[in-house]
Amino acid sequence: MDVSDGQGFGHTYLSIEDFDYAADHFMLPAVKFASADVSDPEQRRELAYDFLWRYFSKPDGKGYFRENVRWIAAAAVREKFAAEADAGKMPRVVVITRKSGEGGGIVIRDAYEFLEHPGYPLALIVGKVSAGGGNAQFFASRDAYEKVGASAPSQETWLPQIVYRLYAETPSVVMGMPKPGKNGEMGVECIALGFGKRASLVERKTN
């Protein structure tokens, strides 16, 4: 979810059951609250899209946190790709972002480019796959990634700098989490996601 200026969330789902569980966590209470018909696809879609728009309109609003945004995202994606899911063709990776242009709105689309693995991370996520992901930073080009990667780290932005220093080539998504090291030192545990496609993880050569 690229919410604003390359910042947002990267959500992970370990299985179709995990994905449906997350979507139902939002959808079932929302349907009851809105007195909607859970069997009506159009009503479900409108509910999911409405709450997704509310989040994008005010992402720092009270009541939004990583887990319930993950539920809303799953519900919106499931409703968007319901026909594809029925045909067994649900996308492996989906991007949710703002629509460019004056009209505004939100785009939910098949993110096929994440399966092509251009050699640099299109997304860096602070989190674990097993924990459902976390805060994410997105990069539209190699130059944009390398500019941030070569900059000085800060409390807000540190994973790009670490991945840039460690790896010359990566799959399209790298996740990282702080990890306590020996003697009280802090390290980072990195996981690269290939989504079942061939991708390279090449360590950067050091002198």
Side-chain angles (χ1 to χ4, degrees), residues 124-130 158-159 162-163 166-167 174-181 186-192 201:
L124 289 169
I125 304 170
V126 178
K128 290 185 176 181
V129 176
S130 59
W158 49 268
L159 186 57
I162 291 173
V163 172
L166 292 177
Y167 302 108
V174 179
M175 303 183 76
M177 278 289 288
K179 182 180 180 181
M186 289 299 294
V188 176
E189 178 183 12
C190 290
I191 299 173
L201 183 65

Side-chain angles (χ1 to χ4, degrees), residues 6-199:
Q7 304 291 328
F9 283 116
H11 301 298
T12 55
Y13 307 91
L14 296 176
S15 64
I16 187 61
E17 291 79 16
D18 180 33
F19 176 72
D20 282 335
Y21 181 77
D24 286 341
H25 247 80
F26 162 77
M27 187 59 69
L28 297 180
V31 164
K32 184 176 181 180
F33 175 78
S35 299
D37 182 357
V38 71
S39 64
D40 187 326
E42 189 61 34
Q43 290 187 40
R44 291 199 314 267
R45 187 177 300 112
E46 286 181 6
L47 264 177
Y49 288 4
D50 177 57
F51 274 84
L52 185 65
W53 174 244
R54 291 187 195 188
Y55 170 67
F56 267 76
S57 297
K58 199 172 182 180
D60 297 323
K62 184 178 180 181
Y64 290 121
F65 51 92
R66 181 189 64 84
E67 193 61 18
N68 66 3
V69 173
R70 179 175 177 265
W71 301 338
I72 294 169
V77 168
R78 187 172 67 178
E79 297 308 317
K80 166 74 174 183
F81 293 105
E84 288 83 352
D86 288 344
K89 297 180 180 179
M90 174 71 91
R92 296 293 304 276
V93 186
V94 173
V95 162
I96 304 174
T97 189
R98 296 178 189 276
K99 186 181 294 183
S100 60
E102 296 180 2
I106 298 172
V107 176
I108 305 173
R109 65 172 180 83
D110 183 346
Y112 58 86
E113 70 272 19
F114 278 77
L115 304 181
E116 296 176 351
H117 299 297
Y120 66 91
L122 297 172
L124 289 169
I125 304 170
V126 178
K128 290 185 176 181
V129 176
S130 59
N135 292 329
Q137 190 164 0
F138 300 90
F139 300 98
S141 67
R142 182 184 294 273
D143 287 345
Y145 161 64
E146 291 182 347
K147 182 178 180 180
V148 176
S151 68
S154 66
Q155 282 191 324
E156 293 75 28
T157 306
W158 49 268
L159 186 57
Q161 291 87 339
I162 291 173
V163 172
Y164 179 74
R165 178 171 59 86
L166 292 177
Y167 302 108
E169 187 175 348
T170 77
S172 59
V173 174
V174 179
M175 303 183 76
M177 278 289 288
K179 182 180 180 181
K182 297 179 180 179
N183 303 319
E185 297 175 351
M186 289 299 294
V188 176
E189 178 183 12
C190 290
I191 299 173
L193 304 185
F195 305 109
K197 298 289 185 177
R198 291 188 63 181

Side-chain angles (χ1 to χ4, degrees), residues 194-206:
F195 305 109
K197 298 289 185 177
R198 291 188 63 181
S200 297
L201 183 65
V202 180
E203 292 186 6
R204 191 175 296 279
K205 295 180 179 179
T206 57

